[in-house]
Amino acid sequence: MKSWLQKKWNNGKMLAELKPAFFLSLTFCFMIFIYAPLELYINNVDEFWYDVYLLFPFIIKDFFLFLLFSIVGFLVVYLFGNVAYKIVLYCYFTGTVACYIQGNYMVKNLPPLDGTDVNWSLYQSQFVKSTIVWVIIAIVCLILFIVLKYDRIKKAVSYISVFLLLILVSTITVLSINNNIFEKKEYARFTKVDQFEMSTDTNFIIFLLDAVDEECFWQVWQEHPEYEDAMTDFTFYNNAMSGYAYTEHSLPLILSGEWFENKEPFIDYRNRIFKSSPFFNYLREQGYTLSNYDDEYKFEKGVMDGAFNNITYTKSSLWDRSLFNTRIIKMVGMKYAPYVLKPYCWFNVSMLKNQEMSSKDEELFSWRNDDFYKDVQEDDITYVDGKRFKLIHLMGAHVPFYFDKDVNVIDDADYYTSIESSMTVTMAYLNKLREAGVYDNSVIIILSDHGYNIEGEAVKVAQKNENETGRQHPILFVKGLNESHDLQVSGAPISYEDLVEAYYKLMNGAASDDCFAYKEGDQRERRYLLYKYLGEDHMVEYVQTGYAGDESTLVPTGRVFDAK
């Protein structure tokens, strides 16, 4: 065996035979372990908290590890004989070409990685298309391997592999240079500092439960009579309209009343609102200390300095290296794997941020219902003389669905149990304020940033439906200073652009049923800027001419707002 192997090597036969395998392995490993994660990172750089320097060690290690494994594998197969080697070469070449086409030309209509449970049955057409493409590629490659002479096959595999490799290398080089990916990331994030510090003078609290739809909420409400007792002193506005379908644009509107119409980069608009909206400036003038408890938003270093008292800076760091590495590979698989394998690659990409660390070892705020609920149960209220503003943004009923009504993590949670958990947390927080004697001297707004179309959500995502209606009807509860009465329900036609004016009135002593200009029975048109998920560069204006949750009276005006 030794002399045979030595003879093959000496006459150069083995080296020549393994040359296409080497080039093919190099191309495939570069595509999957270098190009793909870097391309995903560059094209979504603002979505990831980590910088490229954290990513590099993982992708380089994976590249060389799998390259070595691939080459050794080819060598072992080659020693078994030419037939086995040709079969493996064919399979590897077919897979490389198919992955390249799948990951670069068949990336539309992918399910979201935002935690939404994917109903894969809605993607049957994508399964079929992907399968057909892979089968066609396999057949074409098989014909070439049968028709061409072996020497030509080796040359074809080598040339095509090198050609694809050059395309990938040049593309990622241009992307890297044009997008300045080598800047170290350090983001401003929000900590738990002063989470339960309350003023003995005046508090203003916006308690935001994400994605709680009014109509679904009302179904849950009717099954829980204890909710009405817990929400005494509030006015429930059951005919409120959000301005947008998603948090990113809804929250700045809630805090400013200023619409975003794609006239400027969104990040400039967002930063301006959070840093110095007229409402926030007014609070500071009135002596309020501002705290923002949120883990959805992050800001570039320096942008929010002085805006909130609970800001820290985070750097790329990890607590679970193997988990991070696995998720990077799975994320690549969501683009490059055939559709039949994508269900095994899916995961909640937002969970990557749970590995983020504060540079000062301060505990970052977590929006999960169970995390905040635990803090409510375990932490004490502390008192200060100065006025306090708190924006508390919780997961509410946002996907993925984790919780039962008692805020336990369960496997079969759904949208309705998540609403129940939201109310359990809300009631616990309100009781804590009551027991601490800081409830009466607090303006409290409990609301959702937008509604949620539980029936049509999965279908719209799978089919990329332009019509993201069904998310325009959030919950809205309001309590003014020193209010004491049974729960009131108002059908006043409220728009979220009205909120800031209501805030001013509430701080000046207005009651919750008298803080809006519109009353029950009034008629008005309310604006709603609609865009599909991840398609905010194209907004379509609608007006609601009737009840907030009625989609039949939500009509387009014909105006659109496209990014420049």
Side-chain angles (χ1 to χ4, degrees):
M1 175 69 179
K2 183 177 179 181
S3 61
W4 173 81
L5 181 59
Q6 187 176 18
K7 183 179 180 181
K8 275 196 168 186
W9 180 261
N10 288 338
N11 65 23
K13 182 177 180 181
M14 181 181 290
L15 185 62
E17 291 287 332
L18 290 176
K19 185 189 294 184
F22 172 76
F23 286 131
L24 186 58
S25 299
L26 184 63
T27 299
F28 178 80
C29 291
F30 182 85
M31 177 173 65
I32 298 301
F33 300 109
I34 300 288
Y35 175 83
L38 275 179
E39 186 263 342
L40 280 167
Y41 177 83
I42 292 169
N43 288 329
N44 303 278
V45 64
D46 292 331
E47 302 299 320
F48 297 118
W49 54 265
Y50 53 86
D51 58 40
V52 76
Y53 298 101
L54 184 144
L55 189 62
F56 274 148
F58 291 95
I59 63 178
I60 292 171
K61 179 203 70 176
D62 291 341
F63 169 71
F64 282 110
L65 181 64
F66 281 88
L67 179 61
L68 177 62
F69 177 80
S70 180
I71 292 173
V72 170
F74 269 116
L75 176 59
V76 171
V77 172
Y78 176 74
L79 294 177
F80 275 97
N82 285 342
V83 174
Y85 176 69
K86 290 177 184 177
I87 292 173
V88 173
L89 189 66
Y90 158 75
C91 293
Y92 206 128
F93 179 72
T94 299
T96 300
V97 174
C99 282
Y100 177 82
I101 292 173
Q102 180 80 55
N104 290 279
Y105 300 104
M106 300 179 67
V107 292
K108 293 183 178 180
N109 300 322
L110 288 174
L113 288 173
D114 64 351
T116 305
D117 285 334
V118 179
N119 182 354
W120 292 100
S121 65
L122 298 173
Y123 293 83
Q124 286 303 315
S125 63
Q126 302 305 317
F127 276 95
V128 172
K129 291 177 185 177
S130 176
T131 302
I132 290 173
V133 168
W134 278 69
V135 169
I136 290 173
I137 293 170
I139 292 173
V140 171
C141 291
L142 181 60
I143 292 173
L144 291 176
F145 268 65
I146 292 174
V147 171
L148 295 179
K149 291 182 179 181
Y150 184 49
D151 287 341
R152 290 189 176 181
I153 290 174
K154 291 188 294 182
K155 288 182 179 179
V157 170
S158 297
Y159 292 158
I160 292 173
S161 298
V162 171
F163 176 71
L164 292 178
L165 180 62
L166 290 174
I167 291 176
L168 295 169
V169 170
S170 59
T171 301
I172 204 64
T173 300
V174 171
L175 285 174
S176 299
I177 293 172
N178 290 343
N179 290 276
N180 189 26
I181 67 168
F182 300 104
E183 181 179 352
K184 281 187 171 291
K185 284 189 175 183
E186 190 172 7
Y187 286 118
R189 298 296 298 268
F190 301 108
T191 71
K192 292 184 178 182
V193 168
D194 299 335
Q195 186 173 217
F196 295 106
E197 182 183 82
M198 304 300 296
S199 171
T200 54
D201 184 335
T202 308
N203 301 290
F204 194 110
I205 302 168
I206 297 178
F207 198 76
L208 194 153
L209 302 170
D210 208 294
V212 178
D213 184 83
E214 194 280 337
E215 293 181 48
C216 296
F217 175 82
W218 189 246
Q219 296 176 40
V220 174
W221 177 282
Q222 292 175 312
E223 298 175 2
H224 292 275
E226 68 273 18
Y227 290 176
E228 185 167 347
D229 293 334
M231 302 305 293
T232 56
D233 312 320
F234 282 84
T235 298
F236 177 36
Y237 288 92
N238 65 3
N239 187 17
M241 276 283 298
S242 65
Y244 303 91
Y246 298 99
T247 306
E248 189 172 43
H249 295 81
S250 292
L251 189 50
L253 179 66
I254 289 169
L255 298 174
S256 69
E258 180 182 336
W259 291 91
F260 175 74
E261 299 176 339
N262 275 320
K263 294 179 179 178
E264 62 183 314
F266 174 74
I267 194 169
D268 293 343
Y269 160 81
R270 184 202 67 178
N271 291 348
R272 175 164 48 78
I273 297 303
F274 276 89
K275 177 71 173 181
S276 57
S277 71
F279 172 55
F280 282 162
N281 286 337
Y282 177 82
L283 287 172
R284 295 185 187 102
E285 291 169 1
Q286 298 301 311
Y288 282 83
T289 297
L290 279 61
S291 301
N292 187 353
Y293 300 99
D294 184 299
D295 76 356
E296 284 287 277
Y297 280 90
K298 62 181 183 291
F299 299 90
E300 296 292 340
K301 187 176 181 179
V303 171
M304 286 295 118
D305 287 354
F308 302 97
N309 75 320
N310 62 322
I311 284 179
T312 191
Y313 289 110
T314 59
K315 295 181 178 179
S316 296
S317 53
L318 293 173
W319 55 264
D320 192 330
R321 299 180 68 83
S322 61
L323 178 62
F324 181 82
N325 198 66
T326 299
R327 286 173 170 169
I328 293 299
I329 294 173
K330 280 190 171 185
M331 196 154 49
V332 170
M334 281 299 294
K335 278 193 71 175
Y336 285 80
Y339 242 93
V340 69
L341 296 181
K342 290 190 191 299
Y344 302 100
C345 299
W346 184 91
F347 73 100
N348 180 8
V349 72
S350 66
M351 296 300 288
L352 283 170
K353 68 185 178 185
N354 289 353
Q355 303 189 48
E356 188 175 11
M357 298 289 186
S358 164
S359 57
K360 297 180 180 179
D361 294 325
E362 296 171 330
E363 188 173 3
L364 298 179
F365 178 78
S366 169
W367 80 327
R368 283 177 53 122
N369 294 354
D370 54 346
D371 289 336
F372 187 75
Y373 187 51
K374 180 181 178 182
D375 290 345
V376 168
Q377 294 174 309
E378 296 180 354
D379 295 349
D380 295 326
I381 295 283
T382 58
Y383 303 93
V384 293
D385 294 333
K387 300 175 182 179
R388 290 293 182 268
F389 168 84
K390 296 183 182 296
L391 169 61
I392 303 171
H393 180 191
L394 297 185
M395 187 175 185
H398 196 284
V399 294
F401 305 131
Y402 291 135
F403 310 111
D404 66 8
K405 67 180 182 62
D406 297 315
V407 207
N408 299 309
V409 176
I410 59 173
D411 292 333
D412 58 345
D414 59 28
Y415 184 66
Y416 295 96
T417 63
S418 297
I419 291 176
E420 290 177 313
S421 77
S422 301
M423 280 304 297
T424 299
V425 175
T426 301
M427 291 189 297
Y429 183 67
L430 292 177
N431 287 336
K432 191 177 189 72
L433 299 181
R434 290 185 178 105
E435 292 169 2
V438 292
Y439 173 82
D440 289 334
N441 68 317
S442 298
V443 173
I444 305 175
I445 315 290
I446 298 172
L447 78 170
S448 182
D449 47 353
H450 53 76
Y452 190 79
N453 184 354
I454 186 62
E455 300 300 330
E457 206 67 30
V459 174
K460 287 191 295 187
V461 170
Q463 298 177 352
K464 296 298 178 184
N465 195 322
E466 294 280 350
N467 187 7
E468 290 288 355
T469 55
R471 300 174 63 97
Q472 73 278 357
H473 193 189
I475 61 168
L476 174 61
F477 288 86
V478 180
K479 184 194 84 71
L481 295 170
N482 299 305
E483 283 203 53
S484 180
H485 52 75
D486 292 338
L487 174 72
Q488 301 174 147
V489 179
S490 171
I494 303 304
S495 166
Y496 271 11
E497 69 175 331
D498 307 330
L499 285 173
V500 171
E501 288 303 317
Y503 300 158
Y504 293 136
K505 292 180 181 179
L506 289 165
M507 282 189 285
N508 289 321
S512 59
D513 62 350
D514 195 35
C515 61
F516 291 106
Y518 294 92
K519 307 300 178 184
E520 185 161 2
D522 289 348
Q523 300 295 316
R524 67 181 293 202
E525 292 185 348
R526 289 170 288 173
R527 193 183 195 206
Y528 183 66
L529 295 186
L530 181 152
Y531 58 89
K532 65 180 181 178
Y533 181 66
L534 299 180
E536 60 270 19
D537 287 347
H538 177 69
M539 294 180 170
V540 180
E541 185 182 62
Y542 280 66
V543 292
Q544 178 57 270
T545 60
Y547 173 67
D550 188 349
E551 292 188 44
S552 69
T553 54
L554 187 63
V555 296
T557 65
R559 298 177 70 198
V560 298
F561 302 94
D562 293 329
K564 299 294 187 286

